[in-house]
């Protein structure tokens, strides 16, 4: 081919390529390489036609693949040769809407360094403007109403650009070239302060009014990117006491926002991995060990050694913290167990009894998105709640499959929709225990179905007949005439872990699934499970011994009941010197004993989560719980990091002979002996964690002998416990196991929908109903 010959190619780019500055990037790259053609968005991604010399086209494709914009995630690029047209210019063309084509969407992104610099530059026209953004930062997921991602299809459609913003938007050399949410004080959204039903200050005066309110100990409802926060001075006991009383949140920790990394380090231990996570684009809440004497109210996280810290992620947050010399509690704007508020009128109605005043703005939030919560482990992320900054980023699956909807579980609910090789896990919905949360689930699901062009071929849910999500799935599948697949809870946990690690659907692994509650195939409450599992099928090869749980859910809120049940099952007397016995009123004790002896309202459970609760009560750490896993969390926080001792387990074949049963009776007797010998609770807590770690190794070795498998996947809410992970992984690796833990989705029920989805995509043991 002659050196001067021209070629033309059409490229189709799929992935997260909308709302991330991809078109401006392509425009600049094409101009730099003297290529002609065009670029545009459509509902399936980005389409490009480029014309030029073969060398220039090769360089263009190489740069596209290797140096895309920082927020972009390219999944695929297809290339088609076309006849050259002889064009001489490169342009951005109008977007094309396509009825059935779908594309991935960027999560919301924290303010970038350039915008932050302009925010506090008195010479900049956006000085102290709380909605400053550019191609590299700002709201995305929460303002998008439909695809392709263009201003008319976002909540910014209500704000026509002024001449100055329009010049930036159309200038290829400008950082705001085709930045859809671009705005300024002359044309964009505004913020105002409202108290007593009246707007009393606007713009910068509104932010200063909010600061005055916070300094005076008042509770301010602050509208952010994905919803409302309830904010107050995190050093003020009276403000915290009022917030807990009004919100109905007795002990559950509040998140705290600090202005920068130095302020975080004044409150908590922050290692390099935790610092990187705090300052990442996602800006999650990060759980950090609190420093002794940290200047925070004890009411921020009562009885907890950890605090959840986050840095500002929106310009409004930076302005609110500017000049404040205290950290701020920033907790979800809702009553406990209800969805987060996102609209002004809704907030004024629902939060009026919780907040003293409001910091509002008029940029609508199309879909709410609560803050994400993360821990770190071995230098990487351990998700606790995957939401803002992460959702709706997809999980890439090993194989494509049918479109489906997986509805998740009950606690920490999320749902998942699939399309081709992608699983789109929703933002955090909440606990599906009331009508309000179910309605929020339906609204979010409707949005995902529209956004990702999902035409479901089947519906997937949990086996538990009492879950609202299961009941919804049954109604929806019947109404739509769709097949319904019900997936066992702990199998879904392991499938989620395998899926995020890219395992083929039929690849098997040893699965250790430890949590609080999951409906078992035999109708019992499972939770201490050892499985041989793939994303298609599972076999239960070991589990904790069944223990009767008097009153069922009543024992979750009163761990002393779980402790008494475990002592009874182990044949250990209920002596008054044991803290859990002393905590139980005598009349309740008599009722419990009758229940246990007569097997009345005592569902059997193999739950590791309930065992941790029982031990926490037995040791005297926590007798009643006001939020999920409180007893176990406080037990974890006590652990002596230097203690190497451990308690023992008994084991025997099950009655049917098809599984190994691990009995905690020797462990419980060891704890009682140590309590009576005056051994510290910190040492006992460490020995318990060491014992559970050793149990995991023994159970994995049992599963390996029967299967020849060497990969161990750890999933379920118990594996949020970093003390347990730190003790377990070295033991498993020393025994020659290849260990997989969660890095992309939570090990708790927030990741359950992903597991349901990958099981439901294939021909599994469950079939379809």
């Amino acid at each position: 081919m002659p050196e001067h010959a021209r070629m033309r190619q059409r490229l189709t780019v799929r992935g997260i390529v909308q709302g991330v500055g991809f078109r401006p990037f392509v425009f600049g790259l094409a101009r730099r390489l003297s290529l002609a053609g065009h670029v545009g968005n459509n509902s399936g991604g980005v389409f490009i036609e480029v014309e030029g010399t073969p060398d220039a086209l090769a360089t263009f494709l190489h740069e596209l693949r290797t140096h895309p914009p920082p927020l972009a995630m390219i999944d695929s690029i297809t290339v088609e040769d076309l006849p050259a047209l002889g064009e001489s210019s490169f342009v951005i063309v109008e977007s094309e809407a396509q009825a059935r084509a779908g594309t991935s969407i960027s999560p919301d992104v924290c303010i970038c360094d350039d915008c932050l610099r302009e925010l506090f530059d008195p010479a900049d026209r956006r000085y102290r403007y709380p909605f400053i953004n550019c191609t590299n930062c700002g709201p995305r997921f929460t303002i998008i109403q439909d695809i392709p991602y263009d201003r008319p299809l976002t909540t910014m459609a209500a704000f026509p650009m002024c001449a100055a913003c329009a010049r930036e938007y159309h200038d290829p050399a400008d950082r705001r070239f085709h930045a859809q949410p671009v705005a300024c004080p002359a044309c964009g959204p505004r913020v105002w302060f409202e108290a007593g039903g009246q707007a009393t200050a606007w713009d910068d005066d509104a932010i200063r009014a909010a600061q005055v309110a916070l300094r005076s100990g008042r509770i301010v409802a602050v509208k952010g990117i994905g919803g409302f926060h309830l904010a107050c001075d995190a050093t003020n006991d009276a403000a915290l006491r009022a917030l807990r009383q009004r919100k109905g949140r007795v002990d559950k920790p509040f998140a705290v926002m600090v202005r920068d990394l130095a302020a975080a380090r004044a409150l908590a231990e922050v290692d390099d991995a935790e610092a990187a996570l705090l300052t990442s684009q996602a800006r999650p809440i990060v759980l950090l060990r609190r420093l002794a004497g940290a200047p925070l109210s004890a009411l921020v996280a009562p009885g907890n050694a950890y605090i959840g810290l986050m840095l500002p992620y929106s310009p409004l947050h930076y302005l609110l913290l500017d000049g404040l010399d205290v950290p701020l509690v920033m907790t979800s704007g809702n009553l406990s167990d209800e969805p987060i508020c996102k609209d002004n009128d809704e907030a004024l109605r629902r939060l009026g009894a919780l907040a003293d005043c409001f910091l509002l703005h008029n940029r609508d939030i199309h879909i709410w998105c609560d803050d994400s919560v993360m821990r770190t482990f071995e230098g990487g992320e351990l998700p606790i709640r995957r939401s803002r900054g992460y959702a709706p980023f997809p999980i890439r699956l090993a194989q494509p499959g049918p479109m489906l909807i997986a509805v998740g579980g009950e606690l920490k609910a999320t749902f998942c929709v699939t399309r081709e090789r992608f699983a789109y896990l929703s933002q955090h919905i909440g606990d599906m225990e009331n009508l309000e949360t179910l309605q929020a689930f339906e609204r979010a699901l409707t949005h995902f179905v529209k956004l990702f062009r999902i035409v479901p071929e089947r519906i997937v849910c949990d086996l538990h007949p009492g879950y609202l999500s299961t009941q919804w799935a049954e109604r929806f599948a019947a109404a739509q005439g769709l097949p319904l697949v019900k997936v066992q809870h702990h199998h879904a946990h392991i499938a989620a872990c395998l899926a995020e690690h890219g395992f083929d659907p039929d690849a098997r692994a040893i699965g250790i699934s430890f949590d609080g509650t999951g409906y078992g195939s035999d109708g019992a409450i499972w939770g201490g499970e050892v499985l041989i599992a793939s994303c298609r099928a599972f076999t239960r090869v070991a589990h904790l011994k069944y223990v009767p749980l008097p009153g069922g859910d009543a024992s979750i809120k009163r761990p002393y009941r779980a402790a008494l049940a475990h002592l009874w099952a182990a044949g250990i007397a209920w002596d008054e010197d044991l803290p859990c016995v002393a905590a139980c009123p005598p009349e309740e004790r008599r009722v419990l004993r009758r229940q246990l002896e007569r097997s009345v309202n005592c569902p059997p459970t193999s739950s590791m989560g309930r065992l941790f609760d029982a031990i926490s009560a037995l040791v005297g750490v926590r007798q009643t719980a006001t939020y999920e896993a409180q007893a176990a969390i406080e037990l974890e926080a006590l652990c002596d990091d230097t203690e190497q001792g451990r308690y023992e387990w008994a084991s025997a074949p099950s009655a049917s002979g098809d599984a190994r049963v691990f009995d905690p009776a020797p462990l419980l007797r060891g704890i009682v002996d140590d309590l009576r010998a005056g051994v510290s609770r910190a040492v006992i807590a460490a020995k318990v964690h060491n014992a559970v770690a050793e149990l995991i190794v023994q159970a994995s070795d049992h599963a390996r002998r029967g299967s020849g498998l060497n990969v161990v996947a750890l999933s379920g809410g118990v594996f949020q416990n970093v003390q347990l992970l730190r003790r377990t992984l070295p033991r498993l690796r020393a025994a020659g196991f290849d260990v997989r833990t969660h890095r992309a989705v939570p090990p708790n029920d927030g990741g359950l929908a992903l597991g349901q989805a990958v099981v439901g995509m294939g021909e599994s043991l469950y079939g379809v109903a």
Side-chain angles (χ1 to χ4, degrees), residues 264-265 267-271 274 287-292 309:
R265 287 188 160 128
L267 301 178
E269 298 173 11
V270 183
D271 64 23
E274 290 162 341
L287 301 184
L288 303 165
R289 184 171 284 277
R290 179 174 175 167
L291 289 174
L309 295 185

Side-chain angles (χ1 to χ4, degrees), residues 83 112-113 179 257 266 276 374 388 417 456 482 486 499 521 532 543 553 567 604 633 645 653 656 714 719 730 741:
C112 69
D113 290 342
M257 182 176 282
M374 296 280 163
R388 180 194 47 76
V417 298
L482 293 171
K486 295 186 176 182
S521 305
I532 301 296
H543 58 86
D553 286 351
L567 292 176
I633 288 168
S656 60
L714 306 179
F719 291 108
T741 60

Side-chain angles (χ1 to χ4, degrees), residues 548-567:
L549 196 64
D553 286 351
S555 293
I556 298 174
K557 295 183 178 179
R558 285 177 274 176
Y560 65 78
R561 294 170 68 101
L564 293 180
H566 276 84
L567 292 176

Side-chain angles (χ1 to χ4, degrees), residues 313-332:
Y313 52 86
S314 78
L316 180 59
H317 293 146
Y318 273 99
L319 293 170
L320 189 61
L321 284 163
D322 182 46
L324 275 180
D325 55 359
V326 294
L328 294 180
V329 161
M330 294 286 266
T331 190
S332 301

Side-chain angles (χ1 to χ4, degrees), residues 598-610:
R598 301 174 186 177
S599 297
V600 175
N601 192 21
C602 289
T605 181
S606 59
S607 167
M608 181 61 79
R610 297 291 81 81

Side-chain angles (χ1 to χ4, degrees), residues 214-338:
L214 291 164
R215 287 192 189 100
S216 66
R218 300 171 81 189
I219 297 166
V220 182
V222 180
K223 186 177 182 181
I225 286 180
F228 277 80
H229 286 109
L230 292 169
C232 71
D233 178 351
T235 69
N236 187 321
D237 285 350
L240 266 295
R241 198 173 294 114
L243 180 57
R244 288 200 174 278
Q245 182 179 9
R246 296 178 194 179
K247 193 173 163 71
R249 189 162 171 165
V250 180
D251 294 314
K252 191 174 182 181
F254 288 132
V256 174
M257 182 176 282
V258 292
R259 67 162 80 73
D260 55 28
L261 197 54
R265 287 188 160 128
L267 301 178
E269 298 173 11
V270 183
D271 64 23
D272 290 346
E274 290 162 341
L277 193 50
L278 280 168
T279 57
S280 68
Q281 291 174 337
R283 293 288 166 96
I285 298 165
V286 182
L287 301 184
L288 303 165
R289 184 171 284 277
R290 179 174 175 167
L291 289 174
L296 277 179
S297 168
L299 295 174
V300 166
N304 200 311
Y306 287 81
I307 50 174
L309 295 185
M310 62 176 160
L311 300 189
Y313 52 86
S314 78
L316 180 59
H317 293 146
Y318 273 99
L319 293 170
L320 189 61
L321 284 163
D322 182 46
L324 275 180
D325 55 359
V326 294
L328 294 180
V329 161
M330 294 286 266
T331 190
S332 301
N334 56 5
L335 278 168
S336 290
D337 303 324
E338 288 188 2

